[in-house]
Amino acid sequence: MSKKELKFNSRAIHGGQHPDKAYGAVMPPIYQTSTYAQSTPGGHKGYEYSRGANPTRTALENAVASLENGNFGMAFGSGMAAIDAVMKLLGPGDEVICTSDLYGGSYRLFKGVFEKFGVRFRFSDMTDMEELASQINKNTKLVWVETPTNPMMNIIDIKAVSKIVKSHKLLLAVDNTFATPYLQQPLELGADIVMHSATKYLAGHSDVVVGALAVKDEKLAEQLYFIQKSSGGICGPMDSFLTLRGIKTLHVRMQRHCENGELIAKYLENHSKIDKVYWPGFENHPNHNVAKNQMRGFGGMISFVPKGGNYESAIKIVENLQLFTLAESLGGAESLVGHPASMSHGSIPKAEREKNGVVDALIRLSVGIEDITDLITDLDQALK
């Protein structure tokens, strides 16, 4: 059986992987080296210098490509380095249309770095395809989608966006960090590029900072490999190894993240002290049907607003939680809680973030894989 024919759970373990050629090691060795011996100038075994390529990183890149049903993968030193590489496909005068409800780090990179080099960014909620099409002009080169969005949990219809993008011969890139390929595979829905902050669910243990891209098109892959090698924002062999190890349990972890996420979303929805809960699994979620069609589950990310809707009540809750750790990031085995307005989205101007729903009272949960009873007990005591 070809490894490309394997079901997802098997590909998470075997996809793109082969026993090590040197000694048959089942797990890819950590090639902790910067350079490689050559028999004559240019006479090497496929590796010259580890900025360009490293065997452990190659194994990770192959695994990510396999998970996303892509043909090529690239691994970077962070999710932001991966996004940076995509933006370097553009030049002065080019325009990008982005999801309006956007991760703060992406917004900071787009507005604070690339706008200075002449790249312009427009924003759309991408729920109205006519409105999206109206924003496209002769300078538009890329549409950047985040779905589910961070932190409002909006769902963008990737197929519908792809139809508009393809009709204008543009590139479509999707940040798949929240969903992971376990829940959705954007390349299969028409995207050209898939991006992951592999720090999160792919690695899954809060012990590395890694980014990744996956594509199908060879010409596009060549451009991204050139940028990766030239800019040098790569991840090291140890981080590659740890991310590979995490990927092998992705399917098992995501199943529990989804199970726990659903139970906590329903608990919060029925709690007398909670005003709003944002989770795409609810039938009254505005994008529920889209989520149901393009995702295999609804994930473990939830945002909510306590009644009263003020900063002080939100801060009191996040400080009182004990099993949920107050920390940046998400997607680890352990449950985390964050306050987007002052943490992940602190770089977005207040008026801009509030326009998209990121109010001062909003709390974001990354629901882990602990026992659900303990997680609900912790929420109970924090919400008293």
Side-chain angles (χ1 to χ4, degrees):
M1 176 183 288
S2 164
K3 289 188 178 179
K4 285 193 173 182
E5 296 172 353
L6 295 174
K7 303 297 184 185
F8 184 89
N9 293 358
S10 300
R11 273 191 286 128
I13 298 168
H14 301 288
Q17 303 304 295
H18 307 280
D20 179 59
K21 291 180 180 178
Y23 298 104
V26 173
M27 284 300 295
I30 301 168
Y31 282 91
Q32 196 70 51
T33 183
S34 60
T35 193
Y36 305 83
Q38 301 187 21
S39 57
T40 187
H44 53 77
K45 298 179 180 180
Y47 296 92
E48 303 171 82
Y49 185 62
S50 281
R51 173 165 41 80
N54 173 281
T56 317
R57 192 173 88 232
T58 298
L60 172 59
E61 292 172 335
N62 291 341
V64 172
S66 174
L67 289 176
E68 287 288 5
N69 282 338
N71 297 320
F72 307 94
M74 304 91 198
F76 296 84
S78 67
M80 296 313 304
I83 299 173
D84 179 83
V86 175
M87 293 302 129
K88 284 174 179 169
L89 293 168
L90 308 172
D94 289 344
E95 295 191 7
V96 182
I97 302 174
C98 315
T99 316
S100 52
D101 174 19
L102 189 69
Y103 167 53
S106 302
Y107 182 92
R108 181 174 56 234
L109 180 69
F110 295 167
K111 301 289 285 185
V113 177
F114 279 96
E115 275 203 347
K116 289 192 280 188
F117 297 108
V119 180
R120 184 177 178 187
F121 296 87
R122 298 173 182 267
F123 296 90
S124 167
D125 65 11
M126 299 193 190
T127 56
D128 182 340
M129 293 304 113
E130 288 185 8
E131 184 274 336
L132 174 61
S134 73
Q135 292 216 41
I136 296 172
N137 60 47
K138 62 183 177 63
N139 296 318
T140 309
K141 297 295 188 294
L142 173 71
V143 174
W144 182 269
V145 170
E146 194 178 282
T147 183
T149 62
N150 180 6
M152 299 308 299
M153 303 308 299
N154 291 311
I155 305 295
I156 311 301
D157 188 334
I158 299 171
K159 270 188 178 178
V161 172
S162 172
K163 189 175 179 181
I164 298 291
V165 169
K166 296 307 177 218
S167 70
H168 289 82
K169 296 182 170 58
L170 310 177
L171 286 175
L172 173 59
V174 176
D175 182 339
N176 202 28
T177 299
F178 269 31
T180 80
Y182 178 81
L183 296 181
Q184 74 183 11
Q185 293 168 313
L187 294 180
E188 297 297 291
L189 299 170
D192 299 290
I193 303 170
V194 178
M195 193 288 297
H196 285 277
S197 174
T199 307
K200 314 302 194 297
Y201 286 110
L202 292 191
H205 293 78
S206 301
D207 53 7
V208 295
V209 177
V210 173
L213 300 174
V215 304
K216 284 191 173 185
D217 183 74
E218 186 174 6
K219 185 177 179 182
L220 180 57
E222 288 173 357
Q223 291 177 279
L224 289 166
Y225 283 131
F226 177 82
I227 292 167
Q228 180 192 43
K229 181 178 180 178
S230 301
S231 294
I234 56 157
C235 62
M238 186 66 192
D239 287 348
S240 298
F241 175 84
L242 289 171
T243 306
L244 270 168
R245 187 172 67 171
I247 284 172
K248 289 186 183 294
T249 58
L250 174 65
H251 53 299
V252 181
R253 290 183 286 107
M254 285 305 298
Q255 183 177 348
R256 182 56 57 85
H257 284 299
C258 290
E259 291 169 357
N260 283 355
E262 178 176 1
L263 291 169
I264 285 179
K266 290 177 177 177
Y267 161 84
L268 291 170
E269 179 76 357
N270 293 315
H271 199 286
S272 61
K273 292 189 177 180
I274 302 302
D275 185 26
K276 296 178 183 176
V277 182
Y278 301 95
W279 180 69
F282 291 133
E283 289 187 6
N284 62 357
H285 186 286
N287 316 123
H288 174 72
N289 287 334
V290 176
K292 195 174 177 181
N293 287 333
Q294 81 180 16
M295 299 172 70
R296 300 181 186 94
F298 303 109
M301 297 301 301
I302 303 164
S303 293
F304 68 95
V305 176
K307 281 190 176 168
N310 59 62
Y311 173 84
E312 289 74 19
S313 61
I315 296 304
K316 183 179 178 183
I317 291 168
V318 300
E319 288 179 344
N320 286 345
L321 285 164
Q322 297 172 2
L323 194 55
F324 282 85
T325 302
L326 177 60
E328 298 275 7
S329 200
L330 58 105
E334 70 290 332
S335 293
L336 300 178
V337 59
H339 181 250
S342 60
M343 296 171 72
S344 60
H345 290 65
S347 60
I348 299 178
K350 182 179 173 70
E352 188 69 28
R353 63 172 169 78
E354 288 191 340
K355 184 171 69 177
N356 294 313
V358 187
V359 296
D360 286 346
L362 187 75
I363 295 169
R364 189 190 74 182
L365 299 179
S366 172
V367 180
I369 61 175
E370 300 95 336
D371 189 284
I372 187 61
T373 306
D374 294 329
L375 293 175
I376 289 177
T377 298
D378 191 30
L379 286 165
D380 263 339
Q381 64 82 26
L383 290 169
K384 283 181 180 176

